[in-house]
Amino acid sequence: MEAEAIRDLLARAFPDAVELAVEDRTGTGDHFQVAVTSATFDGLPLVDQHRRVNAALAASLADGSIHELRIKTKGTP
Amino acid sequence: MKALREQIESVIKEEPVALFMKGTPQMVMCGNSSRALNALHAAEAPITTVDILPDPRIRQELSALSGWPTIPQVFVKGELIGGADIVEELLDSGELVQKLDGALGSDRPREVKVVALELG
């Protein structure tokens, strides 16, 4: 899977994101690190922030095109 | 024999800290499971581990219960904490130790246990 495809999915799920980074950690197209900073996360516990990122990428997680996903989320100051 | 989902629910509800992982503490089979295990060790948590690899139904039933799609999954007194990223982040911020102190006391046991689910 292309990092760009993941970026699009996240951009659609978090249109107000002030930071959105996707990195193919191993160059194998299935281990990704994503970082999202959005006001959507303000006041949410970490587990709920990550739930929303998992939901945005649910199909790719389910079909295995994402084998490993590392997530970093932040609210806005 | 109890249904798989009930066995999983019992582990989540009855164990102080439950770690659903790929492999066992003696033979960890995945980087993220190893990260979660190490973070829990560092926070001096008692750890009850369940290997999800023996049967794909384990992961399906677990994710249906928790609404969390990936492995590992960490629960403290029945509450989903999250996966490796969150457990590490909470360890670094000190919140993991705080949560364990609050839930289990600072004089908590440290033993590591492996629970094998009965697969019909």
Side-chain angles (χ1 to χ4, degrees), chain A residues 47 50-51 68 70-72, chain B residues 32 35 66-67 85 89:
Chain A
V47 66
H50 284 219
R51 274 195 199 285
E68 184 203 71
R70 295 193 182 190
I71 299 173
K72 176 70 182 152
Chain B
N32 279 347
R35 288 170 64 208
S66 63
D85 294 321
E89 212 169 308

Side-chain angles (χ1 to χ4, degrees), chain A residues 25 33 46-48 50-51 54-55 61 67-73, chain B residues 22 31-32 35 59 66-70 80-82 85-86 89-90:
Chain A
R25 273 183 352 91
Q33 168 79 49
L46 267 183
V47 66
D48 292 331
H50 284 219
R51 274 195 199 285
N54 283 330
L61 282 167
H67 175 70
E68 184 203 71
L69 180 65
R70 295 193 182 190
I71 299 173
K72 176 70 182 152
T73 52
Chain B
K22 289 178 183 174
N32 279 347
R35 288 170 64 208
R59 179 181 180 153
S66 63
W68 191 268
T70 54
L80 176 68
I81 303 303
D85 294 321
I86 290 178
E89 212 169 308
L90 294 180

Side-chain angles (χ1 to χ4, degrees), chain B residues 19 31 33-44 47 87-88 91:
Chain B
L19 167 61
S33 291
S34 173
R35 288 170 64 208
L37 189 63
N38 293 336
L40 289 170
H41 276 314
E44 298 186 314
I47 310 168
V87 175
E88 270 187 358
L91 177 69

